[in-house]
Amino acid sequence: GTFFTGEAITEPEAYEFSLAEGLAEALGASLGDPLILMAPTVEGQMNAVDGTVVQTLSVASEALDTRYIFMPLTIAQQLYETEGVSCFRAVLHETDDTDKAIASLQAALPAEQWEVLPWYEVSRLYLRTRNMFEIIFGLVFIIIGLIVTMSVLNTIGMAIIERTREIGTLRAMGMKPPGIVRLFCTESAFLGIAGALVGLLLTLLLSYSVDAAAPTWRPPVSAREVVLEIRRVPEILAGSFLLFVAFTTAAAWFPSHKAARKPIVDALGHV
């Protein structure tokens, strides 16, 4: 989306400024107002340039919201009385291309004149925040996984124990213990497929509902709210589906194996 109001700055030598919304509010500046910028040059002398506020910008960082000023490079060099720049930033289409781009730039630029840094070495705050959320989500996943595991084991185990007399009848009719185990594992597999399908459909319904509602929240140290999204990753959904079916099938093996090895007379008399 567009995160600024006013005109886009396109002329490389125009005396036009873009202010962050917080800075514009602090200065009481509006679109079209004249503005004089003062700063020390690289030699330590005070210098000034004047221009016009043509744009207010919404920045993501709360720390920059009251400090950020955008202007053409030539005007900034004139303000600081220099022909150099402190850094260049390259924006890639795909984050996964970062290391490849870094290697290419390091090979093309002399190391004694240029220091090439990837974004993840510059944005330490982002990495710490992401690691924090990964730990939180990991703990939540472990807790939910334990609850699901105990629920599945208890449900399937109780269902097989309650059908011990049925198992005894099947044994009396000539079915071998391996056949009993296969029968219950197959039944549990179908139950797992049905449960996984219902869970998958509810997950997709919830994610699409969140997309339609488009709730917003403000991340830590952010100057603006962002839309809360639930990413639908096909690999994770498919993996979760298969894992649940496999676990449900495996959960039936031990109780069915134990019940199938029980003497037929004891199984038929089970209460």
Side-chain angles (χ1 to χ4, degrees):
T2 301
F3 297 107
F4 68 87
T5 57
E7 303 175 2
I9 300 177
T10 57
E11 296 295 330
E13 297 183 358
Y15 288 87
E16 297 175 339
F17 305 132
S18 174
L19 306 181
E21 292 177 349
L23 179 59
E25 181 180 355
L27 296 176
S30 304
L31 297 178
D33 289 350
L35 185 68
I36 300 176
L37 297 182
M38 299 183 64
T41 66
V42 293
E43 300 295 335
Q45 304 296 321
M46 292 301 298
N47 193 18
V49 295
D50 58 341
T52 306
V53 178
V54 298
Q55 184 186 110
T56 56
L57 183 67
S58 173
V59 297
S61 173
E62 188 176 12
L64 296 178
D65 192 43
T66 56
R67 297 175 175 86
Y68 184 83
I69 301 177
F70 177 81
M71 70 190 77
L73 176 61
T74 55
I75 306 304
Q77 290 176 326
Q78 179 180 334
L79 176 63
Y80 289 102
E81 292 187 352
T82 180
E83 295 181 356
V85 294
S86 58
C87 68
F88 286 98
R89 292 189 178 183
V91 180
L92 306 176
H93 290 289
E94 298 292 339
T95 306
D96 295 337
D97 295 336
T98 300
D99 293 334
K100 185 187 300 183
I102 290 295
S104 177
L105 290 173
Q106 288 176 340
L109 300 174
E112 62 275 6
Q113 298 180 8
W114 295 88
E115 182 182 15
V116 183
L117 298 175
W119 64 270
Y120 47 78
E121 291 187 9
V122 179
S123 302
R124 300 287 185 182
L125 177 62
Y126 167 79
L127 294 177
R128 290 196 295 266
T129 304
R130 189 187 68 178
N131 292 336
M132 178 189 69
F133 278 109
E134 286 181 349
I135 293 174
I136 293 174
F137 292 147
L139 291 175
V140 171
F141 177 81
I142 292 174
I143 293 172
I144 294 176
L146 289 175
I147 295 174
V148 172
T149 299
M150 298 305 297
S151 299
V152 170
L153 290 174
N154 182 67
T155 301
I156 295 179
M158 290 300 297
I160 293 177
I161 291 175
E162 291 174 355
R163 298 166 66 182
T164 302
R165 298 180 67 180
E166 178 184 334
I167 294 174
T169 303
L170 293 174
R171 289 288 315 281
M173 294 174 61
M175 183 174 286
K176 301 296 183 181
I180 299 289
V181 174
R182 286 195 299 270
L183 177 64
F184 279 96
C185 287
T186 303
E187 180 180 327
S188 296
F190 280 110
L191 290 175
I193 292 173
L197 283 175
V198 173
L200 180 60
L201 291 176
L202 290 176
T203 300
L204 294 176
L205 178 62
L206 175 63
S207 65
Y208 284 114
S209 299
V210 171
D211 287 349
T216 60
W217 73 299
R218 177 170 293 185
V221 302
S222 176
R224 63 168 179 254
E225 293 185 341
V226 298
V227 177
L228 183 63
E229 298 179 347
I230 298 180
R231 295 182 60 191
R232 293 174 291 274
V233 183
E235 295 82 1
I236 294 180
L237 293 176
S240 300
F241 182 93
L242 296 176
L243 179 63
F244 183 79
V245 173
F247 174 73
T248 307
T249 305
W253 184 87
F254 179 76
S256 63
H257 182 269
K258 182 178 179 181
R261 295 294 178 181
K262 199 170 187 178
I264 297 177
V265 175
D266 293 341
L268 289 173
H270 178 81
V271 178

